[in-house]
């Protein structure tokens, strides 16, 4: 009897070790922002707001979280826009040139730098746009965006903030061709970015794989067919792969919003497609959730308000359920609005 | 079971428990060694010698290490400071940060002295450039509340559209604190603003076919046909449909 008890204790402990190893602990989640314009906004008002938000994160890392922090924060400036020959983004209803976005990003970095005090925590700022179909999703815009990111990076490299803050590019590349571009323009934009890209100014794709298969992937790319759209305009798994990872600068940091786990399954299948077709998995940086945005009136539709923990666990579990896609993740991010329904946050 | 076997089993159990503890504890971050650098080094260990160029490459590893050098230099310098020097630096940095904030506040204050309302040519019915997941937005109206002075507090944005998970039901969304989302009196499809007259918006419901938004799998779900063609009138002042 005693022998059996000892044996069982050993087996149970070993089993526990295996089970706990199945979920990589989530690091602290950093806040990302839709940089939506507010009434009375000017560029300087935006700079002040971003400085204050960067400072808040720095203070959080210094005073509320133990140890060195290493996080990523997306600043989504809206879709790509060219106005009067000047490249920029929509600013969600107030055009922001790349010069303004450059300065705004620096203010966020400065805020973080001053907020962290003497601690050597660091922040990766992802400067993002999208492939909205009503906007300038073009090769030349991708080039301009990459150049802006490099300019910010060069400034950080010679400024004191460079100890603590790094910059990356970002794109919210989505597959719903009712509201976002088809794959062609998105690929063009990414290729434009790639033509100016130098490491380490990678392009984080924080978009989606909407309509993409959640099982049954082979080495032949399948369509990501959104139900009310024609197959002739649909993205394929190959397109999602290319924009999020296949292109040289691209690294996926996908939206894992759906509480039912569908987003995580689709992205695991993208990774599996990569393995079956090219012999390697994609390397996913981490999930983006939107619980912050969903908590801001008027909220979100039901079923896409994963918490950051749910997003992390779903994505990690799906990727690691298959040896060919198994990996650990780097970052956890959650996005919310700067301005929504009359409230400046 | 021999004594040796018993001891071995117990040791395995203890090691497993310790392993559990080690795995549960999140890996601590080292100063100046960011997650991307750690990942790239791991790729090198996993894959062997990296190619010169590409996403996972020597070039990428060098770039990440160069980024880390700046931090490492600052850290090395910081470690050599005495506690008094560290305290002085922290205070200097704090004061610099405060001064920077004050400079921004002053710049904003000066700008606000010259504030002007948005010109009429830029107001009115506009397209929406940026979609929002799971919601059908068609267009928007921007302006100042009719009959009130033009300033940031009277600036109003009104969005028109329909619910992604119920495309028959249109709504108006007034982007102010007292606004919110107001459903059209009848459900005939997402609505679009087609005119504005003295503070009253005319909206028309859209005829079409819309997929009911399925958050877990956008490839599945029903298609809804909306009849469209219905006109609605929304009073911006009162925030009500007439």
């Amino acid at each position: 009897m005693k022998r059996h008890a000892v044996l069982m204790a050993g087996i149970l402990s070993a089993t526990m070790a295996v089970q706990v190893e199945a979920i990589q602990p989530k690091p602290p989640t950093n806040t990302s922002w839709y940089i939506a314009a507010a009434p009375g906004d000017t560029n300087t008002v935006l700079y002040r707001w971003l400085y204050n938000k960067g400072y808040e994160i720095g203070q959080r890392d210094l005073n509320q979280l133990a140890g060195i922090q290493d996080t990523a924060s997306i600043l989504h400036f809206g879709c790509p826009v060219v106005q009067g020959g000047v490249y920029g983004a929509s600013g969600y209803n107030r055009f922001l040139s790349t010069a303004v976005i450059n300065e705004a990003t620096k203010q966020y970095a400065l805020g973080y730098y001053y907020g962290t005090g003497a601690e050597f925590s660091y922040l990766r700022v992802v400067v993002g746009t999208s492939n909205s179909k009503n906007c300038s999703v073009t090769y030349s815009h991708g080039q301009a965006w990459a150049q802006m990111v490099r300019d910010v990076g060069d400034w950080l490299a010679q400024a004191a903030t460079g100890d603590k803050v790094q910059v990356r590019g970002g794109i919210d590349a989505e597959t719903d061709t009712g509201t976002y571009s088809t794959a062609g323009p998105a690929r063009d934009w990414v290729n434009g970015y790639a033509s100016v890209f130098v490491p380490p100014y990678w392009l984080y794709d924080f978009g989606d794989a909407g309509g993409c298969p959640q099982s049954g992937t082979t080495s032949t790319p399948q369509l990501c067919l959104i139900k009310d759209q024609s197959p002739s305009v649909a993205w394929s798994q190959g397109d999602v792969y290319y924009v999020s990872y296949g292109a040289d600068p691209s690294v996926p940091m996908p939206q894992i919003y759906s509480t039912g786990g569908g987003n995580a399954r689709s992205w695991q299948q993208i990774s599996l497609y990569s393995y079956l077709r090219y012999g390697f998995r994609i390397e996913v940086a981490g999930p983006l959730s939107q619980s912050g945005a969903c908590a801001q009136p008027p909220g979100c539709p039901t079923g896409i308000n994963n918490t950051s923990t749910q997003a992390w666990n779903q994505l990690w579990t799906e990727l690691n359920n298959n040896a060919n896609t198994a990996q650990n993740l780097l970052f956890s991010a959650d996005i919310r609005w700067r301005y929504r329904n009359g409230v400046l946050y | 079971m021999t004594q040796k076997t018993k001891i071995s089993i117990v040791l395995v159990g203890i090691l497993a428990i310790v392993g559990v503890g080690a795995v549960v504890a999140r890996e601590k971050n080292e100063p100046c060694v960011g997650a991307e650098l750690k990942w790239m080094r791991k790729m090198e260990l996993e894959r062997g010698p990296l190619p010169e160029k590409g996403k996972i490459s020597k070039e990428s590893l060098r770039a990440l290490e160069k980024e880390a050098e700046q931090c490492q230099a600052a850290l090395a310098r910081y470690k050599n400071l005495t506690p008094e020097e560290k305290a002085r630096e922290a205070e200097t940095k704090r004061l610099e940060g405060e001064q920077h904030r004050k400079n921004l506040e002053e710049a904003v204050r000066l700008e606000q002295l010259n504030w002007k309302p948005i010109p009429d040519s830029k107001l009115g019915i506009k397209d929406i450039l940026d979609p929002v997941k799971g919601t059908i937005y068609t267009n928007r109206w921007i302006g100042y509340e009719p009959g009130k002075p033009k300033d940031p507090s009277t600036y109003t944005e009104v969005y028109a559209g329909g619910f992604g998970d119920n495309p028959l039901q249109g709504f108006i969304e007034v982007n102010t604190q007292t606004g919110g989302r107001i459903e059209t009196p009848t459900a005939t499809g997402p609505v679009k603003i087609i005119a504005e007259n003295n503070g009253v918006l005319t909206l028309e419901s859209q005829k079409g076919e819309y997929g009911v938004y399925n958050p877990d799998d956008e490839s599945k779900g029903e298609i809804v046909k909306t009849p469209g063609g219905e006109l609605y009138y929304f009073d911006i002042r009162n925030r009500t449909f007439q």
Side-chain angles (χ1 to χ4, degrees):
Chain A
M1 190 69 178
K2 274 187 187 173
R3 283 180 232 160
H4 289 142
V6 166
L7 184 61
M8 283 308 297
I11 292 169
L12 272 168
S13 302
T15 308
M16 274 172 61
V18 168
Q19 285 177 340
V20 172
E21 263 183 339
I23 303 283
Q24 176 197 5
K26 183 186 74 65
T29 301
N30 209 338
T31 300
S32 296
W33 296 95
Y34 294 112
I35 307 294
D41 259 4
T42 60
N43 293 340
T44 318
V45 167
L46 180 62
Y47 301 157
R48 177 184 63 178
W49 186 89
L50 277 163
Y51 176 84
N52 288 337
K53 287 304 171 195
Y55 188 85
E56 276 175 28
I57 300 171
Q59 287 278 284
R60 178 199 74 157
D61 286 358
L62 176 66
N63 296 323
Q64 294 174 26
L65 297 175
I68 305 290
Q69 301 308 316
D70 177 9
T71 58
S73 171
I74 300 165
L75 302 180
H76 190 345
F77 286 94
C79 70
V81 172
V82 183
Q83 197 172 93
V86 175
Y87 290 95
S90 70
Y92 292 89
N93 304 330
R94 191 178 82 90
F95 174 70
L96 302 172
S97 68
T98 49
V100 170
I101 295 169
N102 178 316
E103 183 60 32
T105 306
K106 286 174 187 170
Q107 292 301 324
Y108 194 57
L110 280 166
Y112 184 79
Y113 169 74
Y114 286 118
T116 46
E119 192 177 85
F120 279 80
S121 286
Y122 30 92
L123 174 68
R124 216 160 277 87
V125 182
V126 177
V127 186
T129 182
S130 79
N131 70 319
S132 169
K133 74 189 287 184
N134 295 328
C135 301
S136 301
V137 185
T138 62
Y139 184 93
S140 60
H141 193 280
Q143 288 184 304
W145 203 259
Q147 188 58 56
M148 174 187 66
V149 172
R150 281 181 66 168
D151 291 344
V152 176
D154 288 346
W155 180 85
L156 288 171
Q158 55 81 41
T161 36
D163 303 346
K164 313 269 181 90
V165 185
Q166 295 148 4
V167 70
R168 304 289 183 255
I171 183 164
D172 170 15
E174 303 208 17
T175 60
D176 183 347
T177 53
T179 45
Y180 290 90
S181 77
T182 54
R187 281 176 173 255
D188 286 344
W189 191 96
V190 169
N191 288 339
Y193 190 100
S195 73
V196 177
F197 159 73
V198 291
Y201 304 123
W202 285 289
L203 178 68
Y204 280 95
D205 174 10
F206 57 98
D208 74 7
C212 289
Q214 298 184 17
S215 63
T217 288
T218 68
S219 59
T220 303
Q222 297 179 52
L223 289 182
C224 300
L225 199 50
I226 308 246
K227 57 190 167 299
D228 55 357
Q229 288 158 34
S230 163
S232 65
V233 298
W235 286 56
S236 71
Q237 288 176 305
D239 295 320
V240 175
Y241 161 80
Y242 182 79
V243 165
S244 68
Y245 191 74
D248 244 1
S250 298
V251 177
M253 191 167 169
Q255 296 171 10
I256 306 296
Y257 294 172
S258 83
T259 53
N263 297 160
R265 287 190 290 274
S266 290
W267 279 98
Q268 186 273 334
Q269 292 287 293
I270 297 290
S271 189
L272 182 61
Y273 163 76
S274 174
Y275 177 82
L276 293 173
R277 188 167 177 96
Y278 302 109
F280 49 80
R281 64 174 188 258
I282 64 175
E283 299 289 334
V284 181
L288 173 66
S289 50
Q290 59 164 8
S291 64
C294 292
Q296 297 169 304
C300 298
T302 309
I304 51 170
N305 57 341
N306 261 347
T307 63
S308 55
T309 301
Q310 287 168 325
W312 179 273
N313 288 347
Q314 281 176 10
L315 183 60
W316 195 95
T317 301
E318 289 297 335
L319 289 171
N320 286 277
N321 271 345
N322 184 314
N324 297 324
T325 59
Q327 61 156 105
N328 275 343
L329 303 168
L330 305 184
F331 306 119
S332 165
D334 190 273
I335 196 164
R336 61 202 313 248
W337 293 91
R338 171 177 180 252
Y339 174 77
R340 189 99 162 123
N341 242 58
V343 179
L344 180 64
Y345 289 94
Chain B
M1 191 185 287
T2 64
Q3 190 69 9
K4 210 173 168 183
T5 310
K6 281 184 205 172
I7 290 169
S8 303
I9 289 169
V10 169
L11 277 174
V12 163
I14 291 168
L15 279 170
I17 290 166
V18 168
V20 162
V23 165
V24 165
R26 189 164 50 86
E27 190 187 329
K28 281 190 180 169
N29 294 319
E30 300 168 49
C32 305
V33 181
E36 289 159 329
L37 178 53
K38 274 191 269 192
W39 166 68
M40 195 65 67
R41 286 176 177 168
K42 190 172 165 237
M43 289 292 107
E44 194 176 35
L45 284 172
E46 271 182 23
R47 299 187 180 192
L50 298 177
E52 184 54 42
K53 287 201 172 283
K55 194 195 310 294
I56 298 169
S57 66
K58 288 181 183 167
E59 184 190 28
S60 294
L61 183 56
R62 275 196 301 269
L64 286 167
E65 283 174 343
K66 187 163 185 276
E67 235 176 17
E69 276 169 20
Q70 189 178 359
C71 173
Q72 284 157 353
L75 180 62
R77 186 193 149 275
Y78 184 75
K79 280 181 175 172
N80 285 331
L81 297 177
T82 64
E84 293 76 22
E85 284 170 332
K86 283 180 182 174
R88 260 200 309 276
E89 272 206 4
E91 180 59 10
T92 302
K93 192 176 177 189
R94 188 190 69 78
L95 291 171
E96 266 179 25
E98 278 310 300
Q99 187 57 52
H100 188 86
R101 188 196 305 272
K102 282 180 187 168
N103 292 346
L104 285 169
E105 293 287 354
E106 180 61 12
V108 168
R109 188 189 71 81
L110 290 173
E111 252 184 357
Q112 283 172 341
L113 292 175
N114 296 319
W115 184 85
K116 290 183 178 59
I118 300 171
D120 287 351
S121 59
K122 293 196 173 180
L123 301 176
I125 300 170
K126 303 288 176 195
D127 290 331
I128 291 175
L129 296 181
D130 298 283
V132 175
K133 194 178 282 293
T135 304
I136 305 163
Y137 283 109
T138 54
N139 64 359
R140 63 192 171 111
W141 174 88
I142 57 172
Y144 295 93
E145 277 190 59
K148 292 192 176 174
K150 290 181 179 177
D151 66 44
S153 69
T154 61
Y155 174 79
T156 305
E157 292 176 352
V158 180
Y159 288 79
F163 291 94
D165 52 7
N166 179 15
L168 270 171
Q169 183 60 63
F171 65 74
I172 275 284
E173 190 176 298
V174 183
N175 202 15
T176 64
Q177 288 194 43
T178 55
R181 217 173 252 176
I182 303 147
E183 295 180 5
T184 51
T186 56
T188 57
V191 289
K192 189 172 182 177
I193 304 167
I194 58 173
E196 183 271 333
N197 186 22
N198 195 28
V200 176
L201 298 176
T202 305
L203 304 116
E204 184 177 24
S205 60
Q206 303 298 291
K207 180 180 178 180
E209 288 190 1
Y210 297 88
V212 174
Y213 180 65
N214 180 335
D216 207 42
D217 189 343
E218 290 181 71
S219 68
K220 295 185 166 52
E222 61 172 310
I223 307 281
V224 167
K225 286 186 182 175
T226 59
E230 194 76 16
L231 293 180
Y232 303 94
Y233 302 92
F234 183 78
D235 188 325
I236 299 169
R237 288 181 214 87
N238 301 330
R239 313 275 202 260
T240 55
F241 281 96
Q242 293 180 337

